């Protein structure tokens, strides 16, 4: 069997590699970026994912996977391209459509076509109509389904294989055919449903997490006013057997949780009230942090008659990764850095070697030099630092929990 993965990004490439490794399938990985194609064929991973490069080299060497800038005749096609925004948080499915149009000429009777890209409800049906419009003779002769990815960056090798998945076809035969394919390399349970439910399920999962984080962030704002330690509060509330509150932070980042809820609010603005409000709260939290740091700097200066040295601890969007995409920590560090140009603002990010805007300072040096310290990302090395009463510490992500 041959499979063609359209898109070799954070999800497409690992999925193509795992399918080639564990499935009985020869894989073509397709990307419009020729550099990505070249690197992949040389066995070099262009993304960062622990353990994945060795696996890539394995499947390239054994001839089970090769990359190309154009699709090839296959038995199954997977659309794993980005779905960004356009305008005011409106989902843009043009990449899904372009990738679909690229495979249409290759489709033949009995083929499987699956969308994995996070997509607004109804996208699979829209693509089905495009396919049958171009190739009416294939109507009811190919299988079309939606199967969202669920993996956590950094833990992809394990999660791609062991997580349960939801698979929704445009009809039962399509669902069955897609489940057959995924069962070659997925050990988790494959749950059958229809395409619309599967699309909504992905959006629901990430919106649910966003809403829960917003609740924690809202509590942190309330506790700040009320003079209550939010970390202690949440820890105590979570002792209740049916309460499980997440952790507040300096906002929500990454390419998933801060994005997917907008796919629901754009389509269902009248109904999606909590989901929309959660987005607002999580976005506001980063702005609130900026104000807190600004005030701390100015208060220090007034009190001590000198400018403080300031340390901004963390740029990544979550702990112990090097990914700065849509990172509230980076947003806060940038705002403070740009607002206090003639101050010494030390930027710390232990997971990257260099940054094009900031020159980076080591964790220990910044912490020992700084008068005002803002913890933005809960990286493990920060947790080894000791609380210092002589510093103004803004602990937005619960390093010291005090
Ligand atoms: N965060 C908090 N408090 C918490 C947990 C997270 O503020 O208690 C923040 C993080 O710091 C980060 C953001 O939320 O800025 C998102 O991080 P995350 O670890 O919750 O999730 P992602 O974006 O790395 O991956 C998510 C996952 N979805 C869910 O957990 C429901 C993953 O399984 C999905 O595959 C991925 O989105 C995706 O691709 O959609």
């Amino acid at each position: 069997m041959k499979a063609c993965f359209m898109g070799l990004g954070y999800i497409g490439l690992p999925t193509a590699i795992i399918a080639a490794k564990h499935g009985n399938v020869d894989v073509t990985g397709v990307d419009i970026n020729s550099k990505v194609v070249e690197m992949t064929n040389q066995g070099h991973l262009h993304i960062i994912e622990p353990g994945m490069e060795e696996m890539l080299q394995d499947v390239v060497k054994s001839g089970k996977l090769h990359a190309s800038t154009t699709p090839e005749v296959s038995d199954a096609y997977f659309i794993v391209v980005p779905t960004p925004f356009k305008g005011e948080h409106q989902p843009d499915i043009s990449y899904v459509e372009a990738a679909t149009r690229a495979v249409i000429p290759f489709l033949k009777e009995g083929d499987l076509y699956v969308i994995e890209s996070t997509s607004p409800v109804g996208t699979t049906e829209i693509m089905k109509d495009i396919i049958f419009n171009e190739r009416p003779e294939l109507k009811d002769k190919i299988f079309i389904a939606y199967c969202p990815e669920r993996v956590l960056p950094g833990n992809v090798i394990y999660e791609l294989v062991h997580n349960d998945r939801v698979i929704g076809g445009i009809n039962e035969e399509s669902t069955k055919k897609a489940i057959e394919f995924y069962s070659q390399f997925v050990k988790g349970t494959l749950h059958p449903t229809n395409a619309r439910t599967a699309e909504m399920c992905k959006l629901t999962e990430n919106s649910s997490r966003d809403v829960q984080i917003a609740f924690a962030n809202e509590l942190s704002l309330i506790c700040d006013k009320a003079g209550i330690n939010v970390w202690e509060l949440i820890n105590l509330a979570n002792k209740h057997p049916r309460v499980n509150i997440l952790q507040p932070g300096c906002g929500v980042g990454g390419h998933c949780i801060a994005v997917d809820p907008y796919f629901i609010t754009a389509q269902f603005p009248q109904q999606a009230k909590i989901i929309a409000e959660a987005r607002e709260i999580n976005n506001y939290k980063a702005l609130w942090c900026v104000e807190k740091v600004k005030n701390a700097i100015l208060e220090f200066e007034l009190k001590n008659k000198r400018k403080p040295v300031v340390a901004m601890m963390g740029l990544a969007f979550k702990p112990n990764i090097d990914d700065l995409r849509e990172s509230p920590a980076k947003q806060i560090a940038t705002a403070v850095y740009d607002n206090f140009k003639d101050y010494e603002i030390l930027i710390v990010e232990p997971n990257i070697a260099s940054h094009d805007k900031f020159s980076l300072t080591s964790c220990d040096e910044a912490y020992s030099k700084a008068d005002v310290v803002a913890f933005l990302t809960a990286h493990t090395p920060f947790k080894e630092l000791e609380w210092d009463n002589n510093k103004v510490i803004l602990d937005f992500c619960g390093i010291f929990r005090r």
Side-chain angles (χ1 to χ4, degrees):
M1 184 178 186
K2 284 187 164 188
C4 195
F5 283 81
M6 302 296 291
L8 294 178
Y10 279 86
I11 301 299
L13 182 55
T15 313
I17 295 170
I18 299 265
K21 171 98 183 155
H22 298 301
N24 192 13
V25 57
D26 288 328
V27 174
T28 308
V30 180
D31 205 287
I32 49 171
N33 184 338
S34 53
K35 194 129 189 254
V36 165
V37 168
E38 203 178 297
M39 278 183 78
T40 305
N41 282 330
Q42 289 166 352
H44 298 309
L45 206 65
H46 75 96
I47 56 170
I48 289 165
E49 185 56 47
M52 196 53 90
E53 189 158 86
E54 292 84 330
M55 213 180 255
L56 169 64
Q57 285 167 2
D58 236 36
V59 291
V60 168
K61 233 184 247 157
S62 65
K64 297 277 287 175
L65 181 143
H66 74 278
S68 165
T69 50
T70 48
E72 289 169 13
V73 177
S74 301
D75 307 293
Y77 299 85
F78 297 83
I79 309 296
V80 204
V81 294
T83 38
F85 297 139
K86 55 184 180 195
E88 279 289 297
H89 295 132
Q90 297 295 317
D92 174 5
I93 58 168
S94 61
Y95 295 108
V96 173
E97 181 176 341
T100 302
R101 288 193 185 276
V103 303
I104 287 177
F106 297 87
L107 290 172
K108 57 184 182 338
E109 194 175 330
D111 282 355
L112 172 66
Y113 161 95
V114 178
I115 304 175
E116 283 207 9
S117 308
T118 302
S119 302
V121 173
T123 303
T124 310
E125 283 158 8
I126 294 171
M127 294 306 135
K128 174 196 81 175
D129 291 344
I130 290 174
I131 294 170
F132 291 152
N133 220 3
E134 298 287 321
R135 302 281 307 276
E137 77 281 10
L138 290 177
K139 213 161 181 197
D140 298 328
K141 302 226 164 77
I142 61 167
F143 305 97
I144 298 179
Y146 183 77
C147 178
E149 60 80 17
R150 282 178 155 174
V151 292
L152 203 66
N155 195 25
V156 168
I157 291 187
Y158 179 84
E159 294 206 358
L160 251 179
V161 173
H162 292 92
N163 286 357
D164 283 13
R165 293 188 77 148
V166 171
I167 302 187
I170 54 161
N171 47 37
E172 275 180 30
E173 300 73 52
S174 294
T175 309
K176 251 197 202 150
K177 188 85 175 175
I179 286 181
E180 237 168 64
F181 180 86
Y182 281 97
S183 60
Q184 293 183 64
F185 62 93
V186 176
K187 292 197 177 122
T189 307
L190 300 168
H191 302 273
T193 181
N194 57 50
R196 289 175 79 81
T197 308
E199 289 161 344
M200 186 62 182
C201 191
K202 169 72 190 185
L203 304 179
T204 300
E205 289 159 16
N206 280 351
S207 299
S208 151
R209 195 151 167 91
D210 197 44
V211 168
Q212 291 176 55
I213 297 169
F215 182 68
N217 278 333
E218 183 164 292
L219 286 177
S220 73
L221 303 179
I222 295 168
C223 287
D224 183 67
K225 281 254 178 265
I228 292 169
N229 179 324
V230 69
W231 315 102
E232 185 192 1
L233 172 79
I234 291 175
N235 184 35
L236 292 174
N238 283 348
K239 302 288 181 209
H240 185 292
R242 285 173 295 284
V243 174
N244 188 11
I245 304 167
L246 292 181
Q247 302 299 305
C250 66
V252 169
H255 260 212
C256 312
I257 295 186
V259 174
D260 299 359
Y262 289 119
F263 285 29
I264 299 179
T265 58
Q267 240 177 335
F268 309 100
Q270 293 306 317
Q271 292 75 26
K273 300 292 185 214
I274 293 180
I275 297 172
E277 192 61 31
R279 283 279 70 244
E280 295 287 323
I281 293 167
N282 287 334
N283 286 339
Y284 171 69
K285 185 68 195 284
L287 304 177
W288 183 87
C289 293
V290 172
E291 286 311 306
K292 281 274 174 197
V293 180
K294 278 187 186 170
N295 288 338
I297 293 173
L298 297 175
E299 270 170 27
F300 182 96
E301 201 172 343
L302 264 179
K303 200 167 139 199
N304 298 282
K305 310 278 180 279
R306 68 171 175 91
K307 291 183 170 127
V309 176
V310 181
M312 305 300 286
M313 308 294 280
L315 290 175
F317 86 83
K318 65 179 192 176
N320 305 322
I321 56 164
D322 63 351
D323 193 339
L324 311 189
R325 294 179 302 167
E326 311 295 325
S327 168
K330 190 180 77 181
Q331 181 193 337
I332 296 162
T334 306
V336 170
Y337 187 85
D338 289 346
N339 263 276
F340 293 90
K341 284 216 156 47
D342 47 350
Y343 289 64
E344 192 176 356
I345 311 287
L346 307 173
I347 309 282
V348 179
E349 179 40 76
N351 297 295
I352 57 174
S354 62
H355 188 269
D356 47 13
K357 182 179 169 84
F358 310 118
S359 72
L360 302 174
T361 307
S362 79
C363 167
D364 289 338
E365 187 189 336
Y367 191 66
S368 66
K369 268 177 103 176
D371 305 297
V372 174
V373 186
F375 286 97
L376 307 175
T377 313
H379 293 313
T380 303
F382 299 167
K383 296 189 173 160
E384 280 151 27
L385 300 169
E386 270 182 34
W387 179 269
D388 183 343
N389 277 328
N390 298 318
K391 298 181 188 301
V392 179
I393 296 178
L394 300 161
D395 186 4
F396 298 128
C397 54
I399 300 291
F400 299 108
R401 301 188 170 248
R402 39 196 283 178

